[in-house]
Amino acid sequence: MKANLFTSVLVTMLFASVTYGQDVTTVTATNYDISDNLDLTAVASIFGESKDLADFEYRLNNPKIQISNLDLNRDGQVDYLRVIESVEQNTHLVVLQAVLGRDLYQDVATIEVEKNPRTNTVQVQVVGDVFLYGNNYIYEPVYYVRPIIFNTFWHRGYVAYYSPWYWGYYPTYFSYWAPCPIFRYRTHVHTHINVYNTYNYVTVRNSTRAVTMHNSVRSNAYERQNPNLAFNRRNEGVRNSYALNQTRSNTVANRATNSRSNASEINTTLANNTVSNTTRNNQVGTTNNNSRSSSTLNSNASTTRNSSVGTPNTSNRSSSVESSSAPTRNSSVGSSNTANRSSSLGSSSAPTRNSSVGSSSSSNRSSSVGTSTPTSRSSSVGGNSGSTSRGSIGNTTSRSASTGRTTR
């Protein structure tokens, strides 16, 4: 019983631990990509909050904000991102370039701003570089408040912005910081994304003029140094970073579903085991009760037999004058035998043997003058007479003789 109780407690504790483990189970993706180190929705968010491109460059590289986590030259420090601009008519092309070394730059993303003069509306698209983000990785931000930077773009006499900073020569506010793990960067950068804006993912660039403008100013030092690290080679069968994130989300969802399913199966198994153990314990308890009942019955039977066997035989013997009693043999199993022997004057009783099994028998022997039992011998006083009687069932044979001998 103690072993069964211990097993039940152990199963219950395991069931509780698995249930608790199910509530806190988390799944973390481990296959990170270079494109994960700069969130373009965060770039679009701070662009809409900047008063001009100089302010925008400051926000990109502010070590207190840490919008970027890119370290393309692998020197253990986040790369400085410079901003250059190209302008044609109503189109502004803003290019973000990582400074990798002396006269070495790598395009990271472009911001394409185009105004429709007929509707006086402005459309913005943030496009990831093909080498880093894959083909047509584009976000269209919809700002809930018109950005202040738009007020400066279409002033008469506007001059395109070109960053004055380069390798080894940076603004005083800038200081190097080490890149952090991707999961930590994602958690950090999301706090700098304006949630009141909408960031729509699209796959088509709206401004054909911006595409042409970009070809004339594009820099690709990292691409030239690492031709085998293109996005389509890093992630075979995946179109761009958006599709990669979708694949990760599905993988995480499947892992979470499988984890919950496995936990449910484990819980079901444990529950079934608990019920089985309970049933087994109940059966064991019933068997023990039956065993005890059988033992009780056997004990009662033994007691009964012992009582029967231990019952003393009572033998009453009486004799009269001039009579002799022969011994009587009684054999009985499980019964009480009583033998009464009596003899009268002038009679003798011959031995009688009785046996019975499982019953009570009584043997009474008596003889009187002139009466014979199945086997009797009698004699009269003053005469020699011998009488021998042999009796079988239904027959009596008597023999008598007058002699002068004494009857034995």
Side-chain angles (χ1 to χ4, degrees), residues 300-312 334-336:
N300 292 336
S302 299
T303 302
T304 303
R305 288 194 298 271
N306 293 336
S307 298
S308 299
V309 173
T311 302
S335 63
S336 175

Side-chain angles (χ1 to χ4, degrees), residues 125-183:
Q125 287 187 327
V126 180
V127 183
D129 184 78
V130 175
F131 188 82
L132 297 180
Y133 293 90
N135 292 316
N136 298 323
Y137 183 65
I138 306 168
Y139 277 100
E140 278 185 2
V142 179
Y143 300 104
Y144 82 104
V145 175
R146 181 182 171 89
I148 300 175
I149 198 171
F150 291 170
N151 299 332
T152 63
F153 276 0
W154 288 277
H155 279 176
R156 185 175 297 179
Y158 178 81
V159 178
Y161 179 81
Y162 198 93
S163 176
W165 314 110
Y166 50 86
W167 178 260
Y169 182 67
Y170 302 115
T172 56
Y173 66 81
F174 178 75
S175 60
Y176 293 108
W177 69 88
C180 62
I182 296 298
F183 71 91

Side-chain angles (χ1 to χ4, degrees), residues 237-386:
V238 182
R239 181 180 184 183
N240 54 31
S241 185
Y242 182 84
L244 178 62
N245 289 330
Q246 292 298 311
T247 302
R248 289 169 175 169
S249 299
N250 293 335
T251 301
V252 171
N254 291 335
R255 289 179 182 176
T257 302
N258 292 335
S259 178
R260 288 192 294 269
S261 177
N262 293 336
S264 178
E265 292 178 0
I266 293 173
N267 292 340
T268 302
T269 303
L270 291 176
N272 293 336
N273 291 338
T274 302
V275 173
S276 178
N277 289 335
T278 302
T279 305
R280 189 179 299 110
N281 292 336
N282 292 336
Q283 292 176 349
V284 170
T286 303
T287 303
N288 292 336
N289 291 334
N290 292 337
S291 299
R292 288 194 296 271
S293 299
S294 300
S295 300
T296 303
L297 292 175
N298 293 334
S299 176
N300 292 336
S302 299
T303 302
T304 303
R305 288 194 298 271
N306 293 336
S307 298
S308 299
V309 173
T311 302
N313 296 327
T314 303
S315 177
N316 298 321
R317 300 178 180 180
S318 59
S319 59
S320 300
V321 178
E322 295 183 359
S323 68
S324 61
S325 297
T328 301
R329 297 180 182 179
N330 296 321
S331 171
S332 175
V333 177
S335 63
S336 175
N337 298 325
T338 303
N340 297 319
R341 299 178 180 179
S342 60
S343 60
S344 300
L345 178 64
S347 66
S348 64
S349 296
T352 301
R353 298 180 180 179
N354 297 322
S355 64
S356 62
V357 177
S359 63
S360 175
S361 62
S362 176
S363 176
N364 298 318
R365 298 179 181 180
S366 59
S367 62
S368 57
V369 177
T371 302
S372 64
T373 56
T375 302
S376 60
R377 294 177 182 179
S378 60
S379 63
S380 299
V381 176
N384 296 326
S385 66

